[in-house]
Amino acid sequence: MPSTVTVGGFYGDEGKGKIVSYLAMKDNPSIAVRGGVGPNAGHTIEHNNKKYKVRMLPSAFLNPNTRLLIGPGVVVSTDVLLKEIEEFGVKDRSFVDYQCGIIEESHKKIDSEGRLKESIGSTGTGTGPANADRAMRTLRLAKDVESLALYLDDIPNAISFALERKEKVLVEGTQGTFLSLWHGTYPYVTSKDVTASGICADVGIGPKNVDDVVIVFKSFVTRVGGGPLKNEISPEQAIIKGWQEIGTVTGRQRRAADFDFDLAKRAIMLNSATQIALTKLDVVFPECAHMQSFSDLSSPAKYFIKTIEDQLKVPVTLIGTGPDVNDIVDRREQ
Ligand code: GTP
Ligand code: IMP
Ligand code: MG
């Protein structure tokens, strides 16, 4: 902080939602703003035995002081957004940029069949076809949708105003570096760039106004949908290791592999990451479950973290030790 961008370091689902929720509660930003593609993202957040699933709003919604913004580069599913605003009771602090693109039923239909569905394994949420129409300059924008009128704002201006007043701003990326349309495993990628630079462009924050880039890595790699995954293990092996995961948006089983240092190095380079958040340490080292202090972690877990820092040359500042927002070791203060 004051301005922090969070991004996914692998193929999405690294646990960004939980990290962002923690940062929102701990650092109390006045603004959390979502960049990234749109409702193809799905974050699961657990707090005080409650589970929240969020696809459109920023994951920072648990902090009642934080305004929840969606940047102009994000495509919006009006029904998903309005449902989340209602469900989380955040009507008076949710704002959508005038220029957000709108996903129509026709986009979802195209996304749910044929090559996009069968070969790429798209989420079927209409984001790719909507971005194609945006490139063709035929996509409808939020400013033309009556049901969004209450929520419209100039998001880049709101961010700039907050930064001028020295308030904290949390910029939330979605998906992961290797799903980027430019830098990922094309064609098995999403429909936008989702590295830190792309996320900043989505919300309208210039490169010189970013203080920290927190890259989120899971302690192993998962991927949902088609495309290469180095050292992929079988679903049976994933169950034995306790690495099996089910996708938040599609309910599909996520494919799994060991932590990939080469991929992680490239992700650090592409995102100019200044800090690493490492999630699911407890899944690889169950003896570390729910710990909040680095000194309490087991020796093998500490060794894993040291190896990551030695190889990637970036400090691991946040460590996830369980699904709850507070299952975390925060080394920024230790
Ligand atoms: P996308 O934006 O779709 O890429 O998602 P995401 O990065 O927010 O991750 P998602 O919520 O889809 O998946 C992460 C899962 O891991 C969720 O079910 C979280 O509750 C869970 N989780 C996050 N951090 C930890 C952790 O440190 N330990 C454990 N056990 N679970 C975690
Ligand atoms: P699309 O973004 O729905 O077009 O899907 C393209 C590819 O990106 C597919 O392999 C999806 O599974 C993957 N994908 C898109 N969004 C996410 C996400 O938030 N987490 C994980 N995978 C995603
Ligand atoms: Mg997800």
Side-chain angles (χ1 to χ4, degrees), residues 27-38:
D27 297 348
N28 199 24
S30 69
I31 282 180
V33 54
R34 265 241 1 218
V37 186

Side-chain angles (χ1 to χ4, degrees), residues 61-228:
F61 64 89
L62 286 174
N63 183 339
N65 305 320
T66 304
R67 276 186 296 149
L68 309 171
L69 318 186
I70 301 180
V74 178
V75 284
V76 168
S77 204
T78 310
D79 51 346
V80 176
L81 175 65
L82 293 175
K83 192 163 164 276
E84 288 181 4
I85 290 176
E86 187 72 37
E87 187 182 338
F88 303 138
V90 292
K91 208 169 170 177
D92 50 356
R93 58 185 176 102
S94 300
F95 301 92
V96 179
D97 194 87
Y98 291 99
Q99 301 234 77
C100 283
I102 298 296
I103 300 170
E104 314 282 0
E105 284 306 315
S106 56
H107 298 128
K108 290 189 218 168
K109 187 168 184 300
I110 299 167
D111 208 15
S112 306
E113 57 195 26
R115 185 177 156 272
L116 281 174
K117 186 82 215 164
E118 280 143 33
S119 166
I120 308 297
S122 79
T123 57
T125 51
T127 51
N131 278 326
D133 277 357
R134 181 113 193 193
M136 295 304 285
R137 279 138 294 170
T138 55
L139 190 66
R140 203 155 64 108
L141 299 184
K143 63 182 179 191
D144 300 319
V145 178
E146 208 179 313
S147 58
L148 293 179
L150 262 181
Y151 304 107
L152 296 175
D153 198 0
D154 178 338
I155 300 304
N157 199 44
I159 298 171
S160 167
F161 192 59
L163 290 176
E164 264 170 36
R165 287 187 299 178
K166 309 273 181 247
E167 294 173 5
K168 290 178 182 169
V169 172
L170 185 54
V171 182
E172 303 185 19
T174 60
Q175 285 78 37
T177 298
F178 299 101
L179 290 178
S180 162
L181 184 60
W182 308 150
H183 305 293
T185 51
Y186 187 88
Y188 301 101
V189 292
T190 190
S191 52
K192 294 252 305 277
D193 178 30
V194 287
T195 61
S197 315
I199 301 298
C200 289
D202 288 340
V203 305
I205 187 169
K208 285 173 74 180
N209 278 334
V210 175
D211 296 293
D212 261 307
V213 177
V214 176
I215 192 162
V216 185
F217 292 125
K218 189 147 58 183
S219 298
F220 47 97
V221 183
T222 61
R223 174 160 209 174
V224 57

Side-chain angles (χ1 to χ4, degrees), residues 8 11-19 34 40-46 51 53-54 59 173-176 179 216 218 245-249 254 278-283 319-324 327:
Y11 298 100
D13 304 323
E14 297 90 353
K16 295 178 291 295
K18 174 237 169 96
I19 295 294
R34 265 241 1 218
N40 50 351
H43 309 290
T44 302
I45 297 154
E46 294 189 38
K51 228 183 205 183
K53 289 192 185 294
V54 61
S59 296
T174 60
Q175 285 78 37
L179 290 178
V216 185
K218 189 147 58 183
E245 290 184 8
I246 303 294
T248 309
V249 176
R254 293 177 183 157
L278 183 69
T279 62
K280 294 214 166 187
L281 187 76
D282 56 300
V283 175
I319 302 163
T321 56
D324 192 274
D327 288 330

